Amino acid sequence: MGLNAISEFGQRDAGVTRITRNAARRLRQTLMRVLTRAKKQREISSDAGLDFMADFFESTLAGIRMAAKAGKSRHALRNIAAFASRAYIASDCRTAAERRASRRLSIRPSD
């Protein structure tokens, strides 16, 4: 329902915007709690950027919800989630210097 509301109304309807922002805030808080705990338990790198990770997982979850709406099977949705997790973990295997260098790259939107 949230994706439909965002797609249909964007930020044109104040009530819809308030509801979707509150839901997004709660999701973000939950992700940050889980990621912080994982970092403390050394399940993820001590220099992992939790905000970047949360952005990635928020986007991945939105994509999975959209794929479900499009009729993807549970099996396919699980595979998407597993692949996204493996891809993120593989990207986290770079050295700290490589991660710092990639953060300095700027991506400019084309005109």
Side-chain angles (χ1 to χ4, degrees):
M1 188 178 211
L3 287 175
N4 287 343
I6 292 167
S7 297
E8 184 67 30
F9 298 104
Q11 295 183 8
R12 292 188 311 264
D13 183 297
V16 171
T17 298
R18 185 180 64 256
I19 291 167
T20 57
R21 283 188 181 163
N22 285 338
R25 183 179 40 77
R26 278 187 242 126
L27 174 62
R28 182 66 171 220
Q29 289 170 341
T30 301
L31 279 170
M32 292 304 289
R33 241 187 343 268
V34 169
L35 293 171
T36 299
R37 183 178 48 205
K39 192 172 187 175
K40 286 179 183 175
Q41 294 176 351
R42 298 181 183 189
E43 294 173 2
I44 58 176
S45 173
S46 63
D47 65 343
L50 299 186
D51 283 323
F52 299 122
M53 291 179 81
D55 289 342
F56 173 80
F57 286 115
E58 284 173 336
S59 297
T60 301
L61 290 169
I64 290 170
R65 287 193 305 266
M66 192 60 80
K69 287 181 160 295
K72 289 281 187 186
S73 68
R74 257 181 210 253
H75 180 74
L77 298 173
R78 283 190 188 118
N79 285 341
I80 293 167
F83 183 85
S85 295
R86 285 192 310 271
Y88 194 87
I89 289 167
S91 75
D92 196 44
C93 291
R94 298 173 298 160
T95 67
E98 289 171 326
R99 284 192 295 276
R100 282 191 300 276
S102 70
R103 288 181 193 138
R104 287 191 297 264
L105 296 176
S106 62
I107 300 173
R108 296 187 177 124
S110 59
D111 293 326

